[in-house]
């Protein structure tokens, strides 16, 4: 039975219990936690990349911004010299560009030419990468040095050398095949074919070296098992190597699309600025003619924006198709 003294003590004890301060933080979850180690680890890579991202932002973002800005202005030689004020025309440059029939012809030629270059480059590079795994050390070294020499040759130098090889008067190709004074740059298709050969010649080493490195990383037991099962070299490549090298092939394909879609030097040097009456124009050369030959800088910028959008669209669509197939990139 509780005594009066006991009853007097209980309120004090209860008050003392209530007076104890509770930890700060959410109700029922203890004290407020600081930044978790996982959060700090997630921010660490971005801190290391920050200097490079700042440099890339200055080298890429600002020029792209200026390119897009000029494409919405009336910006010709009169505006550059200060004779007339710069005016905002909105999508007027794009309207004029899309109404130009030559633009669509050049766009179609660029797409077909780039597709032919990409397919030829990938086929040549992959075939030579497989060949490197089949030859001995000395021929492999010679082939690698020759390929790297072609890769390191400047585009202007390579284009000049190929022009000399196929020259109608002094070129060794016409003499060897008995073609007389046939001009390879006179016809539209032959000129594109000549430029395609030069583009493939200077581009396949990147594909060859990259794919060769990927093949060397494939376990030899896998290839030996496929050979024991009676698979041919083509079947080994199609069913074994190509699926295992899919991430590498994605990289070289996207790089080839970007490089070949914006070819400029080879076309400009080998066809004399776009061929006879512009029959060998591609978008990059067409933009150069509009911007600098005709002093229509706003139209040239609009063509550059169209090329940028097309390349981004092709890359994103290609990556999306690969993700739908369950590929990890």
């Amino acid at each position: 039975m509780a005594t009066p003294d006991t009853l007097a003590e209980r309120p004090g004890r209860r008050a003392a219990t209530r007076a104890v301060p509770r930890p700060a933080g959410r109700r029922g979850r203890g004290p407020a936690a600081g930044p978790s180690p996982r959060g700090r680890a997630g921010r660490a890579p971005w801190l290391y990349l920050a200097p490079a991202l700042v440099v890339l932002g200055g080298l890429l973002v600002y020029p792209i911004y200026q390119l897009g800005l000029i494409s919405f202005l009336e910006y010709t030689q009169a505006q550059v010299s200060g004779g007339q004020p710069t005016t905002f025309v909105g999508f007027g440059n794009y309207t004029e560009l899309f109404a130009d029939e030559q633009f669509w012809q050049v766009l179609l030629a660029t797409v077909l030419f780039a597709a032919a270059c990409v397919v030829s480059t990938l086929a040549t590079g992959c075939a030579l990468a497989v060949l490197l795994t089949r030859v001995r050390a000395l021929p492999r070294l010679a082939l690698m040095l020759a390929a790297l020499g072609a890769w390191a040759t400047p585009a202007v130098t390579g284009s000049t050398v190929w022009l000399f090889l196929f020259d109608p008067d002094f070129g060794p190709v016409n003499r060897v095949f008995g073609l007389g004074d046939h001009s390879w740059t006179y016809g539209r298709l032959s000129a594109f074919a000549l430029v395609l050969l030069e583009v493939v010649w200077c581009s396949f080493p990147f594909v060859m070296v990259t794919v060769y490195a990927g093949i060397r990383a494939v376990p030899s037991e896998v290839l030996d098992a496929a050979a024991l099962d009676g698979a041919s070299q083509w079947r080994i490549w199609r069913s074994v190597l190509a699926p295992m090298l899919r991430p590498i092939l994605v990289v070289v394909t996207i790089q080839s699309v970007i490089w070949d879609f914006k070819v400029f030097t080879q076309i400009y040097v080998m066809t004399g600025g776009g061929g006879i009456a512009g029959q060998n124009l591609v978008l990059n050369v067409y933009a150069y003619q509009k911007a600098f030959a005709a002093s229509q800088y706003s139209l040239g910028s609009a063509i550059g924006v169209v090329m940028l959008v097309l390349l981004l669209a092709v890359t994103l669509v290609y990556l999306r198709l690969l993700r739908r197939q369950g590929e990890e990139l």
Side-chain angles (χ1 to χ4, degrees):
M1 184 174 181
T3 60
D5 296 335
T6 310
L7 293 174
E9 292 175 357
R10 284 182 179 177
R13 290 180 181 178
R14 189 172 301 167
T17 304
R18 292 177 179 176
V20 176
R22 298 190 64 180
R26 296 182 179 179
R27 182 178 299 177
R29 295 195 177 184
S36 64
R38 181 178 300 178
R40 290 194 297 268
R43 290 193 298 268
W46 293 104
L47 294 178
Y48 288 114
L49 291 173
L53 292 177
V54 171
V55 174
L56 289 176
L59 295 177
L60 295 178
V61 176
Y62 181 73
I64 292 175
Y65 163 75
Q66 286 292 333
L67 183 72
L69 178 62
I70 294 176
S71 69
F72 290 104
L73 303 175
E74 184 182 356
Y75 201 70
T76 62
Q77 187 61 40
Q79 283 76 28
V80 172
S81 61
Q84 295 180 6
T86 302
T87 57
F88 180 79
V89 296
F91 290 95
N93 292 317
Y94 294 95
T95 303
E96 180 180 353
L97 182 65
F98 294 152
D100 187 3
E101 184 179 355
Q102 187 182 17
F103 166 76
W104 296 106
Q105 295 175 355
V106 173
L107 176 60
L108 178 61
T110 304
V111 171
L112 295 178
F113 176 75
C117 289
V118 170
V119 173
S120 302
T121 302
L122 291 178
T124 304
C126 292
L128 291 178
V130 175
L131 178 63
L132 287 177
T133 63
R134 302 296 176 184
V135 297
R136 296 182 179 274
L138 187 58
R140 180 167 60 246
L141 178 61
L143 181 56
M144 291 283 286
L145 291 177
L148 292 178
W151 194 12
T153 302
V156 175
T157 305
S159 301
T160 305
V161 170
W162 276 79
L163 274 181
F164 169 75
L165 292 176
F166 290 84
D167 185 82
D169 298 322
F170 307 102
V173 174
N174 284 5
R175 295 185 179 183
V176 170
F177 292 98
L179 298 177
D181 57 352
H182 173 71
S183 177
W184 292 85
T185 58
Y186 182 79
R188 186 188 187 197
L189 294 181
S190 61
F192 270 128
L194 181 60
V195 177
L196 182 145
L197 291 176
E198 202 280 334
V199 170
V200 173
W201 174 75
C202 67
S203 302
F204 84 85
F206 169 73
V207 179
M208 184 190 73
V209 172
T210 307
V211 175
Y212 173 71
I215 294 175
R216 298 295 295 179
V218 175
S220 59
E221 295 82 2
V222 177
L223 302 179
D224 294 339
L228 289 175
D229 290 339
S232 62
Q233 294 299 324
W234 168 247
R235 186 59 183 272
I236 291 176
W237 166 260
R238 187 183 65 180
S239 303
V240 180
L241 287 177
M244 298 182 71
L245 298 176
R246 187 72 61 84
I248 294 177
L249 294 177
V250 169
V251 173
V252 297
T253 300
I254 293 176
Q255 290 279 11
S256 299
V257 169
I258 294 174
W259 289 342
D260 296 339
F261 192 82
K262 61 184 186 67
V263 165
F264 174 82
T265 304
Q266 290 87 345
I267 290 285
Y268 193 83
V269 172
M270 300 179 71
T271 65
I276 301 174
Q279 63 181 1
N280 296 113
L281 283 175
V282 292
L283 280 180
N284 238 353
V285 180
Y286 185 58
Y288 175 84
Q289 288 188 353
K290 288 293 185 182
F292 297 101
S295 298
Q296 295 177 332
Y297 304 105
S298 52
L299 279 179
S301 299
I303 298 173
V305 172
V306 171
M307 292 181 60
L308 177 63
V309 172
L310 288 176
L311 287 175
L312 287 177
V314 170
T315 303
L316 292 177
V317 169
Y318 188 61
L319 294 177
R320 187 176 182 84
L321 290 176
L322 291 176
R323 286 186 176 275
R324 286 184 177 180
Q325 297 175 2
E327 296 291 339
E328 294 184 1
L329 303 176

